[in-house]
Amino acid sequence: MRILQVLCCLLIVVLTLASADEEKRLRLRPTSAPIELDGMIEPAWMQADSAADFIQHSPYWGKDPSFRTVVRVLTTSEALYCLIVAYAPPEKVQVNTGTLDNGSGDIVSLMLDTFGDRQSAYKFAVTAAGVRSDARMLDDARNRDYAWDGIWFSETRRYEWGFVVEMEIPYRTLQYDETQAEWGIDFDRWIPNGSEDLYWCAYQENEGQRISKFGRLVFDGNRPTIKGHNLELFPVVLNKAEMVRAGIYRNRPTAGIDVFYNPSPQLTLQATANPDFAQIEADPFAFNISRYETYFNERRPFFTQGNEIFMASGRQRNTGFYRPLELLYTRRIGKKLPDGSEVPLLIGAKAFGRLAVWEYGGFMAFTDARSYESAGGMVAEPAARFGAARIKRQVLENSSVGVLAVVKQDATGNNGVVDIDGAFRTSDWQLAYQLAHSFRGSTGDVAASAGYTQFGEGYMVLSRLRHVGQEFDVSQVGYVPWLGTTEIVGLAGPRWYYDEGAIRSILLYAGGGVYHERVDRYTDRFALVGYNMQFRSNWGFELNLNGGRSRDLDQEYDSYSLNVSTWFSVSPAWNGNVWGGVERTFNFSRRYLAFYAWMGAWAEWKVSTTVGFGGTMNGFVEGNPSGGVEDVTVNSRPFVSLTPVNNVNVRLYVDNVYVRSSDRLEGITAGLLFSYNFLPKSWFYLAVNEERDRSPEYDPFGAPLPLRMHTTARAAVIKVKYLHYF
């Protein structure tokens, strides 16, 4: 009898576990009745399968939502339609106008894994004000590609009991596997009033959202088969008025074209000719005392769109602990020269896509020659050709392995690299790896990196390794400046989650590592401890302390570092982050050992549904060998943003730098941008920029003038980008 009872208990446990892991399913039924995007619930929606059993992921994991959400999906031969009904009293719904990709407030989202690979997905989001945003989800939702911009449509309508969103996703805007009988699917609802994040599918609190745990969207005998050419042409016309000298301006009218072409649902071709990359906001001010060059993010659309195929596996968006070596750093293409000018990009082209378990991509670009003045003489930057090729294969369901080759050719020779990389992963852990070999003329060397990340239910484990050979040179194509170095770091610690109360989670971790630099003939070593606490009111903080022994430029010393950071989004109107730290380190810009401290803050305040203020402020304190303060540099970048209606935005920002030793502002940059998204992927821009600094000035006879703040550059740009869609 006891044996029978034990067997029954085991059976109940097995059935419970099986039920908990059972995938949710939603049938995609066809409709012949027209769906009009108006935010109203037509009778045709009543024939659709529905999903209503949403669950909280935060702030109270696993609890029922505060407000009900109902989703329905239908299909025609041309498009997938989604209806999301979000219930809530009007006073609980935040409605903010905006432009594409910068709206906020209450948000609902649809996510589709169109290849059934459980690694990547499309995300379509709409706010209660009707602002749209989209992205590609990558690496089992560990990363996002917000550069992806699809053609789709939506309409929002608000009611006394909540709001309704209708979406139309044309199949021709998606890449997908025609042989799949079902896709992965999930829905998300963000309620800022209460910081409530709801999903249709359940995810472990320690993991976060995972594409591998999406529900299934089952085609009811109506798989998409549309094979439209999906040709997008973007003629671009631009006129730029630049200040040559005081009172003298030069007009530079120009035109270019961008092309997107999908000959099949698995392949995308992209090309650009004579592109203009004029931006309203220059790269942010960077303060650097290390021996390595400063890294700047890529923001030019041609390079960011579809660039995920050329990225090595394993990048961690949430932790930032492990980053693979960046072997294709597109800021090298059309780069900025020492005199501030840019190398012209003549033409560029990409091809990328998927075939079953394979992903592939190719890239090429041609830049023109450019001469510039340096140290009293003229220097020539030769014309160059850039190329990259990538192939990646899915293995073991949710893992991958790939090969990447990158090369630059010019009159001085070749520079390039070949790499093998991949990742083994489950929903809660990932082991990424990378092995590369560079070549430049007859020289070359190897580099390798690896990272392991695991967030268990009650613990965290992080480790990384990076080795860069002394002759590993990708300076013309990639960003790997740490030549002749080896680094090993490991962290681990317990993690506590709380079902109730103000505290959501606590993480305590400790670890250490070594860092060898061949140039110093020494292996630095350090140990560290850290503490992270997150609250249900949507704020938290983290601090860590490390200490060890280091050596730089033949000077051996005890090193330490203390870092503190806090973040908050305690109301729908406020978001922010504050950070700071102090360390004892070598200041390579001044070539001595001293303390170095920094502090910074970022905040954004939504004054109303149409007006927002915010900005960033950073302070840098350089010590001297005697323990005093050598200098202080302060950089601030405030902005104001006005969005009177959806798809129209006016943004004004000012970036300035103050240095204590001179007791004055050393530079000011100001910018104004008016942008209007008048049709899908079609924009009108009006931008005005001005830069002022205290650089040397000379009179007409060549005599130096007293240093003063003066305008060094001023430009006004009118740009129109229009989509022709076939």
Side-chain angles (χ1 to χ4, degrees):
M1 189 68 174
R2 178 169 295 180
I3 294 176
L4 182 60
Q5 290 176 333
V6 171
L7 290 175
C8 289
C9 290
L10 289 175
L11 180 61
I12 291 173
V13 171
V14 170
L15 291 175
T16 301
L17 292 174
S19 175
D21 292 335
E22 183 180 354
E23 292 178 322
K24 291 186 174 182
R25 306 182 76 81
L26 200 61
R27 302 198 70 83
L28 184 60
R29 296 175 178 143
T31 179
S32 56
I35 301 293
E36 183 178 353
L37 294 187
D38 54 9
M40 301 182 68
I41 306 175
E42 293 92 347
W45 284 114
M46 295 303 102
Q47 65 182 308
D49 203 356
S50 64
D53 49 341
F54 280 65
I55 190 170
Q56 276 197 51
H57 187 75
S58 65
Y60 295 97
W61 179 80
K63 302 295 185 182
D64 291 333
S66 298
F67 306 109
R68 190 165 180 257
T69 308
V70 179
V71 179
R72 296 177 182 269
V73 290
L74 287 171
T75 184
T76 66
S77 61
E78 299 287 330
L80 181 147
Y81 291 86
C82 180
L83 170 76
I84 303 180
V85 182
Y87 292 91
E91 66 273 12
K92 298 293 185 179
V93 177
Q94 184 182 359
V95 181
N96 293 333
T97 57
T99 58
L100 187 67
D101 295 331
N102 80 340
S104 58
D106 281 65
I107 305 173
V108 294
S109 304
L110 162 68
M111 290 150 284
L112 297 170
D113 171 11
T114 58
F115 282 90
D117 63 5
R118 301 177 185 268
Q119 290 190 58
S120 60
Y122 294 96
K123 181 172 183 175
F124 305 91
V126 184
T127 74
V131 182
R132 297 183 302 118
S133 178
D134 52 28
R136 287 273 290 150
M137 305 170 68
L138 310 169
D139 297 331
D140 203 7
R142 290 174 171 86
N143 287 296
R144 302 286 191 275
D145 174 21
Y146 292 102
W148 185 80
D149 189 8
I151 297 178
W152 56 287
F153 310 94
S154 67
E155 190 61 49
T156 302
R157 186 182 293 263
R158 297 190 297 276
Y159 298 90
E160 293 182 355
W161 42 262
F163 64 96
V164 170
V165 170
E166 287 184 299
M167 302 184 196
E168 177 188 351
I169 316 295
Y171 289 121
R172 62 194 298 182
T173 204
L174 304 173
Q175 286 188 312
Y176 60 88
D177 185 348
E178 298 173 71
T179 66
Q180 293 286 318
E182 57 187 37
W183 290 354
I185 190 169
D186 195 14
F187 309 98
D188 181 17
R189 180 181 177 186
W190 167 249
I191 306 173
N193 196 315
S195 301
E196 200 164 322
D197 198 9
L198 313 177
Y199 291 101
W200 182 51
C201 300
Y203 306 101
Q204 292 299 313
E205 189 172 16
N206 59 289
E207 297 171 2
Q209 188 183 27
R210 289 289 179 260
I211 299 171
S212 56
K213 293 188 176 181
F214 274 15
R216 314 314 295 166
L217 178 66
V218 182
F219 293 102
D220 198 358
N222 293 272
R223 301 182 194 178
T225 57
I226 187 169
K227 293 183 173 65
H229 286 166
N230 196 16
L231 175 62
E232 301 177 18
L233 300 178
F234 296 91
V236 179
V237 294
L238 179 141
N239 185 64
K240 187 174 185 179
E242 291 182 298
M243 185 184 74
V244 180
R245 58 183 181 273
I248 306 297
Y249 291 85
R250 176 180 59 194
N251 279 317
R252 292 175 53 196
T254 187
I257 190 168
D258 295 329
V259 180
F260 291 85
Y261 179 46
N262 291 102
S264 77
Q266 294 84 25
L267 175 63
T268 296
L269 304 177
Q270 181 181 356
T272 185
N274 193 29
D276 174 80
F277 298 126
Q279 296 177 357
I280 179 62
E281 295 193 37
D283 290 318
F285 173 79
F287 194 84
N288 188 352
I289 66 168
S290 78
R291 57 167 34 126
Y292 305 114
E293 67 171 308
T294 301
Y295 179 88
F296 292 104
N297 290 322
E298 179 63 89
R299 295 188 291 178
R300 297 172 294 179
F302 172 74
F303 294 109
T304 57
Q305 293 173 355
N307 196 46
E308 70 272 9
I309 183 62
F310 301 102
M311 296 179 182
S313 300
R315 191 179 296 257
Q316 292 287 308
R317 179 178 63 95
N318 293 329
T319 67
F321 180 79
Y322 170 71
R323 287 191 63 175
L325 302 174
E326 190 154 351
L327 304 179
L328 177 58
Y329 181 41
T330 53
R331 291 292 294 252
R332 307 290 191 204
I333 305 171
K335 64 184 179 182
K336 184 168 288 189
L337 298 172
D339 67 346
S341 63
E342 294 180 351
V343 174
L345 175 62
L346 300 177
I347 189 170
K350 286 181 185 178
F352 51 91
R354 304 184 61 143
L355 184 61
V357 296
W358 295 92
E359 293 183 69
Y360 53 88
F363 167 84
M364 57 176 285
F366 296 87
T367 58
D368 202 359
R370 172 63 61 91
S371 296
Y372 61 95
E373 188 173 355
S374 178
M378 297 302 294
V379 178
E381 179 74 23
R385 300 177 296 276
F386 295 83
R390 172 72 159 167
I391 187 168
K392 185 166 68 171
R393 190 186 194 280
Q394 182 179 346
V395 297
L396 302 176
E397 292 190 357
N398 200 20
S399 302
S400 63
V401 60
V403 178
L404 171 68
V406 186
V407 65
K408 175 189 177 182
Q409 297 178 321
D410 61 21
T412 65
N414 299 337
N415 181 215
V417 63
V418 177
D419 128 290
I420 299 175
D421 64 83
F424 296 104
R425 61 171 68 94
T426 66
S427 60
D428 65 346
W429 67 265
Q430 173 179 269
L431 173 62
Y433 57 90
Q434 182 182 37
L435 179 64
H437 193 288
S438 70
F439 57 88
R440 185 164 191 171
S442 60
T443 63
D445 210 337
V446 298
S449 67
Y452 179 79
T453 305
Q454 182 170 10
F455 288 93
E457 292 187 8
Y459 64 93
M460 176 199 75
V461 178
L462 303 175
S463 63
R464 68 171 183 249
L465 176 149
R466 185 184 70 203
H467 169 76
V468 182
Q470 183 67 30
E471 304 298 325
F472 186 83
D473 184 358
V474 293
S475 57
Q476 298 299 305
V477 295
Y479 181 84
V480 187
W482 314 283
L483 306 186
T485 65
T486 301
E487 179 191 51
I488 303 174
V489 181
L491 305 174
R495 200 177 189 189
W496 295 274
Y497 291 94
Y498 299 92
D499 295 333
E500 304 290 342
I503 300 174
R504 183 181 178 188
S505 68
I506 294 176
L507 169 64
L508 179 65
Y509 58 90
V514 294
Y515 182 63
H516 178 79
E517 290 182 287
R518 182 176 173 182
V519 66
D520 292 316
R521 305 178 304 281
Y522 190 81
T523 300
D524 298 353
R525 54 215 183 260
F526 62 91
L528 65 85
V529 294
Y531 183 82
N532 178 296
M533 178 179 284
Q534 299 193 42
F535 298 86
R536 283 199 164 80
S537 55
N538 219 27
W539 77 276
F541 69 89
E542 180 170 0
L543 60 88
N544 63 65
L545 172 67
N546 73 64
R549 192 73 178 165
S550 302
R551 180 177 177 176
D552 289 299
L553 297 186
D554 295 324
Q555 190 167 357
E556 191 173 337
Y557 58 95
D558 292 324
S559 60
Y560 65 82
S561 175
L562 172 65
N563 297 270
V564 180
S565 177
T566 182
W567 53 92
F568 61 89
S569 181
V570 294
S571 81
W574 282 96
N575 290 279
N577 189 8
V578 180
W579 60 89
V582 61
E583 64 179 339
R584 187 170 188 247
T585 187
F586 203 88
N587 187 328
F588 284 90
S589 66
R590 300 183 183 274
R591 303 186 71 79
Y592 58 59
L593 174 67
F595 81 86
Y596 170 63
W598 63 94
M599 65 288 295
W602 167 85
E604 184 172 6
W605 175 34
K606 199 71 177 178
V607 181
S608 67
T609 60
T610 60
V611 180
F613 289 98
T616 303
M617 177 169 286
N618 287 284
F620 310 94
V621 182
E622 298 174 273
N624 57 40
S626 63
V629 175
E630 181 69 23
D631 210 346
V632 178
T633 302
V634 178
N635 169 237
S636 62
R637 194 180 179 98
F639 74 86
V640 58
S641 178
L642 173 65
T643 54
V645 295
N646 285 348
N647 301 325
V648 173
N649 178 250
V650 180
R651 180 180 173 89
L652 172 67
Y653 84 97
V654 179
D655 192 323
N656 57 75
V657 179
Y658 168 83
V659 179
R660 193 192 70 166
S661 58
S662 64
D663 194 25
R664 61 190 183 186
L665 291 175
E666 294 294 338
I668 299 176
T669 301
L672 171 69
L673 174 67
F674 172 84
S675 57
Y676 174 35
N677 181 209
F678 58 92
L679 287 172
K681 301 176 78 169
S682 299
W683 291 84
F684 171 82
Y685 298 99
L686 170 62
V688 180
N689 292 285
E690 181 169 314
E691 296 181 14
R692 299 169 63 87
D693 64 22
R694 299 182 186 275
S695 58
E697 291 183 278
Y698 302 91
D699 65 19
F701 304 101
L705 297 173
L707 290 181
R708 64 187 179 95
M709 184 73 74
H710 63 282
T711 300
T712 57
R714 180 182 292 152
V717 177
I718 296 177
K719 180 177 179 180
V720 180
K721 178 180 180 181
Y722 179 70
L723 167 65
H724 289 281
Y725 184 53
F726 300 92

